[in-house]
Amino acid sequence: MVFFAKNEHYSNEEGTGVIWISDFINKFYSNVVNLKKSKVTENNLKKYTVKYGDALFCRSSLTKEGIGKCAIIPENLTEDILFECHIIRIRFNNKFVIPEFFRMLSNTRYFRFQIEKYSKTSTMTTISQEGILEAEIIIPPLHKQIEYKKIVNKIFEEKKKLETSLAELENNFNSIMQRAFKGELF
């Protein structure tokens, strides 16, 4: 079973946020803000709500390379969010697998080869949850995975600082350009 709502039942203002493929494909963490919203039942909330560490996979793709692409749900969700029917959710036991470590692992050639091996192609390439669970993974000791997560967190902190700095530079550049066109610099 998967959550499904027709496009006309989505809005940007009312309902519960729903993650679509475009919210996580080729990202480390899934986007969880400014999502399309849909009215959902209590039963849908129980079955399809995501939480930190859930791995989301692309169920079908026009290309074999797109199948099984993965992102994880970030920490500190502020509201209930669901995943829609073109997505497979796999929830790991965080006592054995740290989500950030698994996300890195899911992008390796070793893992990708297995995903493609378990996929099926007709008009589209698809994979089932069972196909993803068939993939063998190497799980290092938990303390090594935790070390990896700390490194990932530092990288994302630095990335955020750089993005903020770049936005400030862009704003300053635009301000100077406007003043130059108005003749205020000479």
Side-chain angles (χ1 to χ4, degrees), residues 31-115:
N31 173 45
V32 293
V33 297
N34 300 321
L35 300 171
K36 293 181 182 179
K37 297 182 181 213
S38 180
K39 293 187 179 180
V40 299
T41 65
E42 198 63 37
N43 193 32
N44 283 335
L45 277 174
K46 287 179 187 173
K47 287 183 179 180
Y48 308 114
T49 299
V50 297
K51 68 178 191 174
Y52 163 66
D54 285 351
L56 304 179
F57 293 87
C58 179
R59 178 185 300 277
S60 59
S61 176
L62 293 173
T63 66
K64 207 165 198 151
E65 296 77 29
I67 199 66
K69 288 286 189 166
C70 174
I72 58 174
I73 299 297
E75 295 184 77
N76 305 322
L77 294 178
T78 58
E79 60 190 14
D80 288 332
I81 297 172
L82 307 182
F83 64 99
E84 61 94 38
C85 65
H86 296 94
I87 298 170
I88 295 171
R89 174 191 64 192
I90 296 182
R91 190 166 279 166
F92 296 103
N93 182 335
N94 292 351
K95 293 179 183 174
F96 300 104
V97 179
I98 300 296
E100 287 78 4
F101 174 78
F102 175 79
R103 170 55 183 87
M104 178 276 307
L105 185 69
S106 75
N107 226 25
T108 63
R109 276 196 278 173
Y110 174 74
F111 187 84
R112 298 294 312 149
F113 172 78
Q114 292 182 81
I115 292 299

